[in-house]
Amino acid sequence: MPDSAALGPDASLVVDLGDRSYPIYIGANLLDNTALLVRHIPGDRAVIVSNTTVAPLYAQALQRQLSAFKQVKLVVLPDGERYKSLETLSQIFDALVADQCDRQTTLIALGGGVIGDITGFAAACYQRGVPFIQIPTTLLSQVDSSVGGKTGVNHPQAKNMIGAFYQPRCVIADIHTLNTLPDRELSAGLAEVIKYGLLWDVDFLDWIEENMAKLRRRDADALHHAITRSCAIKADIVHQDEREGGLRALLNLGHTFGHAIEAGMGYGVWLHGEAVGAGMCMAADLSHRLEWINAADLARVYRIVAAAGLPTQSPAELDIDTLRALMDSDKKVQSGRLRLVLLHGLGSALVTDKAAESQLQDTLRATHALPA
Ligand code: NAD
Ligand code: GLY
C-alpha cells in the first residue's frame, strides 16, 4: 500500500500504483491553495500548459500565485479536439527547448481532457520523462481523463492512436472551475459518470438517475459525490490493470462506437462525451440483441443518457458503412477481430467478440438518427 500520509495527508483518494502512487484532491477553490500545488512540484521550474479559453480564466492567476515559489512559464495552445495532434505537441516541445527546460521541470496541465492528454504525452516524451501534474477543469477530465495515466494525441483517422501510459504526480480537481463550463460540456462529462454506473456500480447508477437534475444545475454536493465516486471506481480499475491487459478495457464502454463517430464527423463536431453517450446506447442495443440485458434495462439506459442532455443515436450525416469501417481502427481490435465492451446486466460489463456482424449491423441501423 502507498504511504498516503506522505503522498498527501489531505487527499480525497489515492491511486495505488506502488512507487508511482499519487493523490487525487477533489474540492472547491483548490486552485487558490498554492501550497498544495507547490508541494507536488519537485524542482524549481514549472510550465503550465493551457489553452486560449482556459488560460484567461485560470492560468494567468495560477502563474502569478506560483511565481512566488517557482520559476513558471505559461504555454497557451489553441482550443479544440482538432488540435490534439502531433503538430500541437511540437509546440510544447518548441517552448520547452526555447526556454532550456531541464529534466526537473514539471509540466502542469490546466484544462480539459485535450490539454491533459497532450501535456501528459509531452511530459512522457520530453527528455524521456519529466514530472507532470493534472489540474482538470472540465467535468469529463475531473471524472476520467486526468486519472490513470493515458496520454496521447489523435491520428487524423484514429482517436488517441499515438500516446503513452504516463502517470501524473497528483490530480487537483477544483469543482469551482465547473461554474464557467458551458452546459453542453457539462453534459459531455456526465456521459463518463453514467459510464461508471453502467459498467461497475448499479447503486451509483441509481444515484445518478435520482440526482441528474441536481448535477445538471451544478449542485456542488452532487458534483462532489459524482466526481469522487467516479474517480474511486477508476482508481480501483487502474490499480488492478494499469496498462489495459484486460479489466481496464471496460472503461471503454461505448467508446468503439463513440470514437468512430468523433473521427467520422471530424474531431470536435461531436464532443467526446456526446459520442460516448450515443455509443453507450449503441452498446446497450447490441447487448439486448445478445439477450444480456432486458428491454426495460435497454429503455433505462436510453432514458438516463437522454436525461443528461446527450444524444442517444449516431448522427444522420455519418453513413453506417463509414461508421462501421472506422470501428475497425479501434485499439481493442485483435488479429483483425473487433472486440466490444458490452453490458451483462446493468452495473456489469465485459469485453467480447461474440456479437455477429449481422447483429452489429442491426444495431447500427436501429441506432442511426434519421435525416432531419
Ligand atoms: P476539452 O479538453 O476539449 O474541453 C472542453 C471545452 O471546455 C474546451 O473548449 C475547453 O477549452 C473548455 N474548458 C475547459 N475547462 C473550462 C472551464 N472550467 N470553463 C470554461 N471552459 C472550459 O474536452 P474534455 O471533454 O475535457 O476532454 C475530452 C478529451 O479527453 C478527448 O480528447 C478524449 O479523448 C479525452 N479523454 C481521455 C481520457 C484518458 O483516460 N486520458 C479519458 C476520457 C477522455
Ligand atoms: N478512459 C479510459 C481509460 O482511462 O482507460
Side-chain angles (χ1 to χ4, degrees), residues 51-54 57-58 79-81 84 111-117 134 136-142 144-152 154 159-160 176-182 185 188-189 192 195 234 248 255 259 262 271-273:
N51 70 23
T52 47
T53 305
V54 179
L57 291 170
Y58 305 109
D79 183 9
E81 182 73 39
K84 189 175 156 182
V114 170
I115 287 295
D117 282 12
Q134 288 272 20
T137 61
T138 62
L139 181 60
L140 186 140
S141 55
Q142 294 188 355
D144 192 350
S145 61
S146 62
V147 175
K150 276 191 182 175
T151 72
N154 298 329
K159 267 284 285 187
N160 298 336
H176 190 71
T177 60
L178 301 181
N179 289 335
T180 54
L181 198 63
E185 298 289 352
E192 305 282 13
K195 175 187 82 175
K234 181 147 188 188
R248 186 167 179 170
H255 283 57
H259 285 167
E262 284 187 84
L271 301 180
H272 175 71

Side-chain angles (χ1 to χ4, degrees), residues 119-296:
T119 305
F121 191 35
C125 299
Y126 187 69
Q127 299 206 11
R128 301 196 181 88
V130 293
F132 103 102
I133 288 173
Q134 288 272 20
I135 306 186
T137 61
T138 62
L139 181 60
L140 186 140
S141 55
Q142 294 188 355
V143 299
D144 192 350
S145 61
S146 62
V147 175
K150 276 191 182 175
T151 72
V153 295
N154 298 329
H155 181 274
Q157 267 88 50
K159 267 284 285 187
N160 298 336
M161 204 38 105
I162 304 151
F165 286 98
Y166 194 67
Q167 301 292 345
R169 294 288 175 113
C170 73
V171 177
I172 300 176
D174 183 343
I175 292 177
H176 190 71
T177 60
L178 301 181
N179 289 335
T180 54
L181 198 63
D183 286 342
R184 189 178 165 199
E185 298 289 352
L186 190 86
S187 287
L190 288 173
E192 305 282 13
V193 177
I194 295 167
K195 175 187 82 175
Y196 293 114
L198 282 176
L199 73 89
W200 196 256
D201 181 351
V202 76
D203 292 340
F204 185 42
L205 188 69
D206 294 344
W207 181 90
I208 294 164
E209 200 172 19
E210 281 161 25
N211 289 276
M212 188 62 89
K214 279 190 181 174
L215 289 166
R216 290 194 69 187
R217 61 169 187 268
R218 299 167 206 237
D219 176 277
D221 290 340
L223 285 171
H224 192 282
H225 179 72
I227 296 165
T228 305
R229 184 65 197 132
S230 298
C231 287
I233 293 171
K234 181 147 188 188
D236 186 5
I237 291 173
V238 169
H239 161 65
Q240 295 183 56
D241 179 23
E242 182 185 4
R243 291 187 159 246
E244 203 165 302
L247 184 71
R248 186 167 179 170
L250 300 185
L251 291 171
N252 287 316
L253 175 67
H255 283 57
T256 305
F257 298 103
H259 285 167
I261 292 172
E262 284 187 84
M265 292 298 285
Y267 294 123
V269 177
W270 272 43
L271 301 180
H272 175 71
E274 292 171 337
V276 169
M280 289 189 296
C281 292
M282 297 164 86
D285 181 278
L286 189 49
S287 308
H288 178 52
R289 285 174 203 280
L290 287 157
E291 299 182 0
W292 291 347
I293 64 169
N294 62 34

